[in-house]
Amino acid sequence: MSTLKLATNALHAGHDVTTNGGTTAVPIYQTTSYVFKNSEHAANLFSLKELGFIYTRLNNPTNQILQDRLTAVEGGIGAVVFASGTGAIATGLLTLLKAGDHIVASSSLYGGTYNLLSVTLPRLGITTTFVDASNPDNFGAAVQENTRAFFVESLGNPKLDVLDLEAIAGHSKKAEVPFIVDNTVATPVLLNPIKHGADIVIHSLTKYIGGQGTSLGGAIIDAGTFNWANGKFPEFTEPSAGYHGLKYYETLGAASYVFKLILEGLRDYGAALSPTNAFNILQGLETLPVRIKQHSENALALAKWLEQQDEVAWVNYPGLESNKYKSLADKYLPKGQSGIVTFGPKKGFEAAKAIADTTKIFSLVANIGDTKSLIIHPASTTHQQLNTEEQASAGVTQDLIRLSVGIEDLEDLKADLTAAFSVL
Ligand SMILES: *Cc1c(COP(=O)(O)O)cnc(C)c1O
């Protein structure tokens, strides 16, 4: 485990210049496969007698450096990268769960994740109870005999609710199920969920970590803390039919889940990250500590400014004194509250649409976490498939505008919004 600080790890972890040809930048290993020394070598790799690269769907040297770097910045024991955040979430859950299993999840989730849990996984016999995460006891109350995971976002997108991770972790420990935290919006710079009791951390690397809107990617970082031998996860203790009788927990101990994600999750579902995208995402990760600081500063200043504007009915940003999550933000996000701000214009739904259609620096985009500022009206776009009740529990009101505040000059961002307000 690295003893270096986060900003240093973000630049150096995983890249051994003595074995990578003395390169200062991480090389892109654009290859599908790796030459075996002989058939015995291949057999040893497949049977895990020796560790090494076999095929890029399973692993790749560029991806491995990204995995090691993410492990270092989140404080885990290992990581696996995927083609997208959604690929990470779907593969992560399908590697843990089977028909008949149950999840307890926060109702304030990214729209795609909400659909996976509420529509697609139930088709496979995996059900979810969604709870109001503002009361951690709701998680304990929703636990069933077949519950096998808790799933939350540390800073909900787009509700911006800051969760009391330690209190929820208390309930997951009592239920003896892994606590999975999607830390995409907060980023590892502002919050490390593992320090607050998370067993598994998930990221969409597409957002702040990649940071420049060029590449999709996702990751799972394992804290290595969960006891897979507690009787609830026989796939970890019994001989695996899917990997010639391997007993994961007996053979791999704390690293069981990381290996299962590769040997079964990536092998069978195939959501592998391209090495070129891993390289692009590594470029982003190197500057994440300075970027996220600027995103957070700009977002807080813009939120305070929005509160002063006549056209604005309400502003939601966890760093505002007026915010109901301010005390939780002080505890969990003391270094900054990231770059997402939501607000509602006094004139409601049509005005919100008009503002999103008018801004010039804020581009109308279904993404967050770009260095460039983005805007969207979720009720008419990203969240239109949800009914009004589902929209409300996801925190999406009819008038809500979501800003992903970039790192442009603050005065230009204010002027862009002022110009949009003037057309109302
Ligand atoms: C975007 C996002 C995802 C999905 O990630 P993709 O890379 O778009 O597949 C998951 N969770 C959160 C919080 C997100 O913002």
Side-chain angles (χ1 to χ4, degrees):
M1 258 220 232
S2 173
T3 55
L4 298 168
K5 301 271 190 285
L6 187 143
T8 312
N9 278 326
L11 285 153
H12 295 283
H15 183 38
D16 180 351
V17 296
T18 62
T19 56
N20 284 308
T23 53
T24 49
V26 172
I28 304 174
Y29 287 88
Q30 193 63 46
T31 183
T32 56
S33 9
Y34 308 84
V35 181
F36 304 126
K37 290 175 208 147
N38 50 45
S39 301
E40 191 191 343
H41 176 224
N44 286 344
L45 292 176
F46 279 107
S47 64
L48 306 181
K49 279 195 195 121
E50 249 179 87
L51 291 182
F53 297 101
I54 297 173
Y55 189 57
T56 287
R57 171 148 43 72
L58 305 177
N59 209 351
N60 168 281
T62 309
N63 295 20
Q64 183 62 51
I65 292 170
L66 177 58
Q67 288 168 165
D68 290 346
R69 209 165 279 190
L70 290 166
T71 301
V73 296
E74 276 294 14
I77 60 143
V80 182
V81 291
F82 297 88
S84 67
T86 304
I89 294 168
T91 310
L93 292 174
L94 290 170
T95 300
L96 280 183
L97 306 174
K98 58 183 182 308
D101 288 347
H102 172 254
I103 304 167
V104 181
S106 162
S107 59
S108 163
L109 293 177
Y110 174 71
T113 308
Y114 183 84
N115 271 302
L116 174 70
L117 299 185
S118 68
V119 181
T120 306
L121 289 184
R123 278 191 210 131
L124 307 179
I126 300 165
T127 53
T128 295
T129 301
F130 293 97
V131 300
D132 173 358
S134 65
N135 179 359
D137 293 341
N138 290 341
F139 286 85
V143 170
Q144 305 175 1
E145 175 266 317
N146 58 341
T147 301
R148 291 295 178 269
F150 281 13
F151 190 99
V152 304
E153 291 175 11
S154 49
L155 179 55
N157 174 14
K159 195 174 182 181
L160 304 179
D161 48 337
V162 183
L163 301 203
D164 190 346
L165 296 177
E166 289 174 10
I168 299 169
H171 288 289
S172 75
K173 295 219 168 17
K174 216 164 159 200
E176 297 186 273
V177 299
F179 182 27
I180 307 173
V181 178
D182 180 335
N183 197 34
T184 298
V185 178
T187 82
V189 177
L190 302 177
L191 173 66
N192 288 130
I194 289 171
K195 288 191 184 137
H196 301 288
D199 298 298
I200 295 166
V201 176
I202 295 192
H203 281 284
S204 167
L205 304 172
T206 316
K207 313 296 171 54
Y208 290 105
I209 291 180
Q212 297 187 306
T214 65
S215 309
L216 276 94
I220 298 180
I221 299 102
D222 187 357
T225 44
F226 191 74
N227 174 19
W228 301 108
N230 70 4
K232 293 184 186 243
F233 295 89
E235 290 78 11
F236 284 82
T237 49
E238 304 296 316
S240 168
Y243 209 81
H244 39 73
L246 175 68
K247 287 187 181 173
Y248 279 94
Y249 197 70
E250 192 181 295
T251 315
L252 299 157
S256 296
Y257 182 56
V258 168
F259 274 89
K260 204 164 192 289
L261 283 169
I262 296 170
L263 300 179
E264 296 179 16
L266 282 173
R267 184 197 62 190
D268 298 350
Y269 301 117
L273 180 67
S274 121
T276 298
N277 279 0
F279 172 84
N280 292 340
I281 290 162
L282 276 161
Q283 305 315 297
L285 181 51
E286 293 192 355
T287 58
L288 178 68
V290 286
R291 280 187 292 104
I292 199 66
K293 190 161 169 262
Q294 193 61 49
H295 279 292
S296 299
E297 275 177 32
N298 275 8
L300 178 60
L302 201 67
K304 286 182 176 164
W305 175 82
L306 281 166
E307 277 191 320
Q308 309 298 318
Q309 304 309 303
D310 288 341
E311 295 84 355
V312 173
W314 57 266
V315 184
N316 183 19
Y317 183 71
L320 290 173
E321 292 300 330
S322 63
N323 194 272
K324 78 180 218 198
Y325 298 104
K326 176 71 167 72
S327 61
L328 283 168
D330 288 344
K331 173 171 179 181
Y332 289 104
L333 296 161
K335 289 181 254 174
Q337 299 80 42
S338 195
I340 314 297
V341 176
T342 61
F343 71 98
K346 283 184 184 149
K347 291 183 180 161
F349 182 89
E350 289 302 330
K353 256 174 86 173
I355 292 166
D357 285 346
T358 309
T359 53
K360 295 206 159 56
I361 297 174
F362 283 91
S363 332
L364 182 58
V365 165
N367 189 22
I368 57 166
D370 197 321
T371 41
K372 303 174 186 77
S373 287
L374 315 173
I375 189 168
I376 197 133
H377 176 229
S380 66
T381 57
T382 51
H383 286 65
Q384 58 154 289
Q385 282 122 319
L386 306 187
N387 64 38
T388 315
E389 199 181 300
E390 290 170 321
Q391 285 187 352
S393 65
V396 174
T397 51
Q398 293 295 298
D399 61 344
L400 180 145
I401 295 174
R402 183 184 72 193
L403 302 177
S404 174
V405 181
I407 59 174
E408 297 95 340
D409 191 287
L410 187 61
E411 295 311 312
D412 290 332
L413 298 181
K414 290 179 189 170
D416 194 35
L417 288 170
T418 303
F421 292 160
S422 73
V423 305
L424 295 179

